[in-house]
Amino acid sequence: MKYGVIGLGNLGGHLAASLGREGFDLIVYDQDIENCLRLTDMGAALADSPASLARDCDAIVTCLPSPTVSEAVLDEVLSTAKPGATWIEMSTLGRDDILRLSAKAAEKGVRCIECPVTGGVHLASSGEITVLVGGDQDLFDLHRPALQAMGGKIIHMGPLGSAAVIKVITNMLAFIHLVAGGEAMMLAKRAGLDLTKSWEAIAASSGNSFVHETEGQLVLNGSYDVAFTMDLALKDLGFAAGFSAETETPLAIADLVHDIFKEGKAAYGGDAQSTQIVKLLEDALGTDLRAPGFPARL
């Protein structure tokens, strides 16, 4: 099969590169031609629009920043996609979004499988990111080789829409851990502890988290460079708030963190790194959380 990838940013570019490394017949498109050239150097063909890409592909992968952009791109894709093609949506959408857009695709004879990813851009770059799948079993089986090329753990969550829910849950937890981890390190700093040893102690304790082990290092370095923005964090926390209302499940901690991220955007802008949420506390107390020996990027 021939795969097309639309959206070659921080995440999508790595996913497409993984397909290219594994020898998949690949066409790519992105509004930024520089993102495309990195893939064409690996042997991928370059399309001049989503429509021209879809015309020549059996499966169209999208990795885009918002439901609005996903829908606009899907409309272009559906104008030329072959009946029987598969739309593989790897963006983070709400459950209602993916169900509505998959129905639109079905009207054109295009089937859909949702495959949002989690674990961070650094794992996408090495082909080890976790892929959360929602959709029919036969489509999952058909595209499993491509998903395995792009990811490490591949988890089929169930029917379409189920992956959207669990992806939002995992991101919600990550943002909670990020805020909590910042508070923990600040408490250690202001109590006079060595931050490097404090980081090591937490990493070896029952209080450890994936976020502490990874994004916590970027805070201690001072780069905050996680390649994920405040706006994207707020989008995902907004989805969590929607699921909270829909399921009548109170999310007291997540709601508080949502408010903190709104403060972060107001202070640093929507394009700021999501890890800069810890900087809110640093700035409020006039105390930085720098320590030597931690990487600027993962």
Tab-separated table of all heavy atoms in Angstrom, residues 214-228 271-279 282 288-291 294-298:
chain	number	residue	atom	x	y	z
A	214	THR	N	11.195	12.882	32.447
A	214	THR	CA	11.457	13.460	31.131
A	214	THR	C	11.371	14.984	31.161
A	214	THR	O	12.384	15.668	31.157
A	214	THR	CB	10.480	12.876	30.095
A	214	THR	OG1	9.121	13.090	30.538
A	214	THR	CG2	10.723	11.385	29.913
A	215	GLU	N	10.180	15.524	31.234
A	215	GLU	CA	10.001	16.974	31.161
A	215	GLU	C	10.632	17.686	32.360
A	215	GLU	O	11.073	18.842	32.244
A	215	GLU	CB	8.521	17.315	31.041
A	215	GLU	CG	7.906	16.785	29.758
A	215	GLU	CD	6.435	17.110	29.611
A	215	GLU	OE1	5.996	18.147	30.132
A	215	GLU	OE2	5.719	16.322	28.958
A	216	GLY	N	10.698	17.004	33.493
A	216	GLY	CA	11.343	17.598	34.654
A	216	GLY	C	12.791	17.967	34.382
A	216	GLY	O	13.309	18.964	34.908
A	217	GLN	N	13.459	17.182	33.536
A	217	GLN	CA	14.854	17.491	33.200
A	217	GLN	C	14.965	18.784	32.398
A	217	GLN	O	15.932	19.540	32.547
A	217	GLN	CB	15.460	16.343	32.393
A	217	GLN	CG	15.550	15.035	33.151
A	217	GLN	CD	16.449	14.047	32.444
A	217	GLN	OE1	17.658	14.261	32.323
A	217	GLN	NE2	15.863	12.963	31.967
A	218	LEU	N	13.979	19.046	31.540
A	218	LEU	CA	14.007	20.253	30.717
A	218	LEU	C	13.779	21.503	31.562
A	218	LEU	O	14.314	22.576	31.258
A	218	LEU	CB	12.954	20.158	29.612
A	218	LEU	CG	13.040	18.929	28.707
A	218	LEU	CD1	11.914	18.928	27.696
A	218	LEU	CD2	14.404	18.870	28.008
A	219	VAL	N	12.977	21.352	32.618
A	219	VAL	CA	12.786	22.468	33.549
A	219	VAL	C	14.101	22.756	34.278
A	219	VAL	O	14.537	23.913	34.393
A	219	VAL	CB	11.661	22.153	34.557
A	219	VAL	CG1	11.589	23.224	35.638
A	219	VAL	CG2	10.322	22.031	33.832
A	220	LEU	N	14.747	21.723	34.766
A	220	LEU	CA	16.003	21.907	35.504
A	220	LEU	C	17.106	22.458	34.609
A	220	LEU	O	17.984	23.183	35.064
A	220	LEU	CB	16.434	20.589	36.138
A	220	LEU	CG	15.524	20.089	37.269
A	220	LEU	CD1	15.927	18.686	37.692
A	220	LEU	CD2	15.548	21.035	38.460
A	221	ASN	N	17.063	22.126	33.319
A	221	ASN	CA	18.023	22.698	32.380
A	221	ASN	C	17.730	24.171	32.111
A	221	ASN	O	18.644	24.968	31.886
A	221	ASN	CB	17.986	21.920	31.062
A	221	ASN	CG	18.823	22.564	29.980
A	221	ASN	OD1	18.346	23.447	29.271
A	221	ASN	ND2	20.075	22.137	29.866
A	222	GLY	N	16.426	24.521	32.114
A	222	GLY	CA	16.027	25.895	31.818
A	222	GLY	C	15.611	26.119	30.387
A	222	GLY	O	15.171	27.213	30.023
A	223	SER	N	15.724	25.093	29.533
A	223	SER	CA	15.307	25.254	28.141
A	223	SER	C	13.791	25.143	27.996
A	223	SER	O	13.201	25.766	27.116
A	223	SER	CB	15.967	24.192	27.261
A	223	SER	OG	15.347	22.917	27.451
A	224	TYR	N	13.179	24.323	28.831
A	224	TYR	CA	11.739	24.011	28.776
A	224	TYR	C	11.332	23.435	27.410
A	224	TYR	O	10.141	23.362	27.092
A	224	TYR	CB	10.877	25.256	29.045
A	224	TYR	CG	11.152	25.988	30.321
A	224	TYR	CD1	11.945	27.138	30.322
A	224	TYR	CD2	10.632	25.569	31.536
A	224	TYR	CE1	12.206	27.835	31.494
A	224	TYR	CE2	10.882	26.261	32.720
A	224	TYR	CZ	11.669	27.387	32.692
A	224	TYR	OH	11.923	28.068	33.845
A	225	ASP	N	12.282	23.009	26.591
A	225	ASP	CA	12.017	22.741	25.170
A	225	ASP	C	11.443	21.343	24.946
A	225	ASP	O	12.126	20.415	24.546
A	225	ASP	CB	13.313	22.913	24.373
A	225	ASP	CG	13.063	22.920	22.875
A	225	ASP	OD1	11.898	22.829	22.467
A	225	ASP	OD2	14.052	23.014	22.121
A	226	VAL	N	10.139	21.212	25.177
A	226	VAL	CA	9.467	19.925	25.038
A	226	VAL	C	8.758	19.782	23.693
A	226	VAL	O	8.200	18.735	23.392
A	226	VAL	CB	8.462	19.740	26.200
A	226	VAL	CG1	7.249	20.637	26.028
A	226	VAL	CG2	8.060	18.288	26.379
A	227	ALA	N	8.747	20.846	22.885
A	227	ALA	CA	8.095	20.853	21.568
A	227	ALA	C	6.586	20.609	21.681
A	227	ALA	O	5.995	19.910	20.871
A	227	ALA	CB	8.739	19.819	20.639
A	228	PHE	N	5.979	21.220	22.716
A	228	PHE	CA	4.535	21.124	22.919
A	228	PHE	C	4.106	22.436	23.562
A	228	PHE	O	4.701	22.862	24.558
A	228	PHE	CB	4.202	19.936	23.828
A	228	PHE	CG	2.757	19.510	23.788
A	228	PHE	CD1	2.322	18.618	22.831
A	228	PHE	CD2	1.837	19.996	24.714
A	228	PHE	CE1	0.989	18.201	22.789
A	228	PHE	CE2	0.516	19.598	24.678
A	228	PHE	CZ	0.086	18.697	23.710
A	271	ASP	N	2.036	30.128	22.341
A	271	ASP	CA	3.114	29.388	21.683
A	271	ASP	C	4.248	29.012	22.638
A	271	ASP	O	5.201	28.352	22.235
A	271	ASP	CB	3.693	30.217	20.529
A	271	ASP	CG	2.723	30.339	19.360
A	271	ASP	OD1	1.898	29.434	19.184
A	271	ASP	OD2	2.790	31.360	18.642
A	272	ALA	N	4.155	29.438	23.902
A	272	ALA	CA	5.182	29.072	24.878
A	272	ALA	C	5.170	27.567	25.118
A	272	ALA	O	4.145	26.891	24.920
A	272	ALA	CB	4.938	29.816	26.186
A	273	GLN	N	6.302	27.035	25.544
A	273	GLN	CA	6.385	25.611	25.850
A	273	GLN	C	5.463	25.274	27.034
A	273	GLN	O	5.382	26.033	27.999
A	273	GLN	CB	7.820	25.238	26.206
A	273	GLN	CG	8.816	25.472	25.090
A	273	GLN	CD	8.640	24.511	23.934
A	273	GLN	OE1	8.368	23.330	24.118
A	273	GLN	NE2	8.792	25.013	22.719
A	274	SER	N	4.784	24.137	26.943
A	274	SER	CA	3.881	23.749	28.030
A	274	SER	C	4.625	23.589	29.354
A	274	SER	O	4.066	23.839	30.429
A	274	SER	CB	3.142	22.458	27.680
A	274	SER	OG	4.040	21.386	27.463
A	275	THR	N	5.897	23.192	29.292
A	275	THR	CA	6.689	23.036	30.514
A	275	THR	C	6.927	24.365	31.232
A	275	THR	O	7.269	24.372	32.418
A	275	THR	CB	8.051	22.404	30.184
A	275	THR	OG1	8.565	23.013	29.006
A	275	THR	CG2	7.939	20.920	29.963
A	276	GLN	N	6.735	25.474	30.534
A	276	GLN	CA	6.902	26.779	31.176
A	276	GLN	C	5.807	27.058	32.208
A	276	GLN	O	5.867	28.075	32.902
A	276	GLN	CB	6.943	27.891	30.123
A	276	GLN	CG	8.257	27.940	29.371
A	276	GLN	CD	8.330	29.101	28.406
A	276	GLN	OE1	8.125	28.933	27.206
A	276	GLN	NE2	8.623	30.280	28.926
A	277	ILE	N	4.860	26.150	32.334
A	277	ILE	CA	3.878	26.303	33.400
A	277	ILE	C	4.582	26.315	34.755
A	277	ILE	O	4.118	26.969	35.709
A	277	ILE	CB	2.809	25.192	33.329
A	277	ILE	CG1	1.534	25.629	34.040
A	277	ILE	CG2	3.311	23.858	33.849
A	277	ILE	CD1	0.853	26.807	33.425
A	278	VAL	N	5.706	25.618	34.856
A	278	VAL	CA	6.484	25.620	36.101
A	278	VAL	C	7.115	26.993	36.331
A	278	VAL	O	7.327	27.413	37.474
A	278	VAL	CB	7.556	24.518	36.066
A	278	VAL	CG1	8.400	24.528	37.331
A	278	VAL	CG2	6.905	23.144	35.889
A	279	LYS	N	7.384	27.715	35.250
A	279	LYS	CA	7.995	29.035	35.356
A	279	LYS	C	7.060	30.017	36.075
A	279	LYS	O	7.536	30.996	36.677
A	279	LYS	CB	8.353	29.559	33.973
A	279	LYS	CG	9.301	30.746	33.955
A	279	LYS	CD	9.736	31.061	32.526
A	279	LYS	CE	10.798	32.148	32.501
A	279	LYS	NZ	10.308	33.439	32.999
A	282	GLU	N	8.170	29.718	39.505
A	282	GLU	CA	9.510	30.287	39.610
A	282	GLU	C	9.451	31.812	39.633
A	282	GLU	O	10.108	32.472	40.454
A	282	GLU	CB	10.368	29.814	38.439
A	282	GLU	CG	10.699	28.326	38.457
A	282	GLU	CD	11.515	27.924	37.242
A	282	GLU	OE1	10.976	27.942	36.121
A	282	GLU	OE2	12.705	27.613	37.422
A	288	ASP	N	14.580	30.265	40.721
A	288	ASP	CA	14.635	29.362	39.568
A	288	ASP	C	14.956	27.936	40.013
A	288	ASP	O	15.424	27.706	41.133
A	288	ASP	CB	15.637	29.852	38.525
A	288	ASP	CG	17.080	29.745	38.986
A	288	ASP	OD1	17.502	28.642	39.372
A	288	ASP	OD2	17.795	30.766	38.943
A	289	LEU	N	14.691	27.010	39.120
A	289	LEU	CA	14.908	25.589	39.409
A	289	LEU	C	16.011	25.015	38.518
A	289	LEU	O	15.876	23.932	37.961
A	289	LEU	CB	13.602	24.806	39.199
A	289	LEU	CG	12.476	25.135	40.179
A	289	LEU	CD1	11.200	24.388	39.810
A	289	LEU	CD2	12.888	24.809	41.610
A	290	ARG	N	17.106	25.747	38.375
A	290	ARG	CA	18.207	25.282	37.535
A	290	ARG	C	19.125	24.331	38.301
A	290	ARG	O	19.350	24.482	39.498
A	290	ARG	CB	19.046	26.449	37.036
A	290	ARG	CG	18.318	27.531	36.253
A	290	ARG	CD	17.771	27.080	34.908
A	290	ARG	NE	16.470	26.455	35.090
A	290	ARG	CZ	15.322	27.129	35.243
A	290	ARG	NH1	15.331	28.450	35.262
A	290	ARG	NH2	14.183	26.488	35.362
A	291	ALA	N	19.635	23.353	37.560
A	291	ALA	CA	20.634	22.429	38.114
A	291	ALA	C	21.512	21.957	36.958
A	291	ALA	O	21.037	21.814	35.825
A	291	ALA	CB	19.954	21.233	38.787
A	294	PHE	N	21.621	18.547	33.171
A	294	PHE	CA	20.378	18.102	32.568
A	294	PHE	C	20.288	18.587	31.126
A	294	PHE	O	20.774	19.673	30.794
A	294	PHE	CB	19.172	18.604	33.380
A	294	PHE	CG	19.071	17.928	34.712
A	294	PHE	CD1	19.617	18.511	35.850
A	294	PHE	CD2	18.426	16.711	34.842
A	294	PHE	CE1	19.532	17.890	37.086
A	294	PHE	CE2	18.328	16.064	36.075
A	294	PHE	CZ	18.887	16.660	37.205
A	295	PRO	N	19.683	17.806	30.232
A	295	PRO	CA	19.689	18.126	28.792
A	295	PRO	C	18.734	19.250	28.422
A	295	PRO	O	17.710	19.457	29.070
A	295	PRO	CB	19.242	16.803	28.153
A	295	PRO	CG	18.353	16.176	29.177
A	295	PRO	CD	18.985	16.531	30.510
A	296	ALA	N	19.079	19.947	27.331
A	296	ALA	CA	18.200	20.999	26.811
A	296	ALA	C	17.050	20.409	26.016
A	296	ALA	O	15.987	21.024	25.901
A	296	ALA	CB	18.989	21.963	25.943
A	297	ARG	N	17.256	19.216	25.454
A	297	ARG	CA	16.197	18.513	24.727
A	297	ARG	C	16.305	17.027	25.060
A	297	ARG	O	17.376	16.525	25.378
A	297	ARG	CB	16.306	18.708	23.213
A	297	ARG	CG	16.138	20.129	22.756
A	297	ARG	CD	15.668	20.217	21.321
A	297	ARG	NE	14.253	19.837	21.211
A	297	ARG	CZ	13.577	19.876	20.061
A	297	ARG	NH1	14.178	20.250	18.942
A	297	ARG	NH2	12.314	19.525	20.002
A	298	LEU	N	15.188	16.347	24.953
A	298	LEU	CA	15.176	14.916	25.253
A	298	LEU	C	15.624	14.120	24.044
A	298	LEU	O	15.489	14.568	22.920
A	298	LEU	CB	13.763	14.501	25.677
A	298	LEU	CG	13.263	15.193	26.957
A	298	LEU	CD1	11.804	14.858	27.197
A	298	LEU	CD2	14.115	14.778	28.153
